[in-house]
Amino acid sequence: GKLEQNGMTYDCFSRGNKMRKDNIVTGDVMEMEKNKFLDTYDTVVNYILLKEYNIEENLNYIKSLLAFCKKANVKKLIQISSISVYSNELEYVNEKTEIEKDFHNKGGYASLKVAVDHYLIENPIEGLQICFLRPGYIYEKNHEPSKAGILISKFGLNILLGDKNTVLPLIDKNKIHEAIVKIAKE
């Protein structure tokens, strides 16, 4: 996709048995720094959120990710966060808006995102720049919408969970990829 079009090489990392197949590396996310199949990288893009786990386990994953970034001399971490980390009462958000202070004020997914973002902000690694991308609902043109998270399908109906007064901006997946490339090249 966008990375190849911009002359960038990359590896993808996911949970599974510790191994490499082409540019796909799998292993234990809690021990990324010990995975011999991972290389050194200028930039890491973190999409991983352990939705089925609690905040402590997600923070353990982030600690592992940061340990890996330090060991691999990563210069930039692009953290795919969420617009849900902002206070529900805000009417306007920009790049200087502070995120929710207490993850307890948020629901399941958002509370994980708030806790992880705070951990990253409060535990900097020397030489590592962290860039937060905080999209709303990501969709892809001409594809079925994701059923994970806030969109639930039951009995043939799609139900969007949330507050009826909340505005949820939609963003095309392509725009997210363009942003990642632009940030990685900075």
Side-chain angles (χ1 to χ4, degrees), residues 78-94:
I78 302 173
Q79 172 67 15
I80 307 300
S81 181
S82 169
I83 196 168
S84 67
V85 299
Y86 296 111
S87 170
N88 295 340
E89 285 73 44
L90 293 175
E91 291 184 21
Y92 177 78
V93 172
N94 67 23

Side-chain angles (χ1 to χ4, degrees), residues 124-138:
I125 301 288
E126 188 175 342
L128 178 66
Q129 176 189 8
I130 301 177
C131 304
F132 294 92
L133 279 182
R134 295 188 172 126
Y137 190 78
I138 302 170

Side-chain angles (χ1 to χ4, degrees), residues 25 36 42 50 61 70 80 83 85 103 117 127 136 142 152 179 181:
V25 178
K36 66 183 179 188
D42 293 323
L50 305 174
Y61 158 64
K70 187 173 185 175
I80 307 300
I83 196 168
V85 299
F103 67 83
D117 282 13
N142 303 319
I152 304 209
V181 168

Side-chain angles (χ1 to χ4, degrees), residues 36-50:
K36 66 183 179 188
F37 296 107
L38 288 169
D39 205 344
T40 58
Y41 304 92
D42 293 323
T43 301
V44 168
V45 181
N46 180 39
Y47 281 96
I48 295 176
L49 180 74
L50 305 174

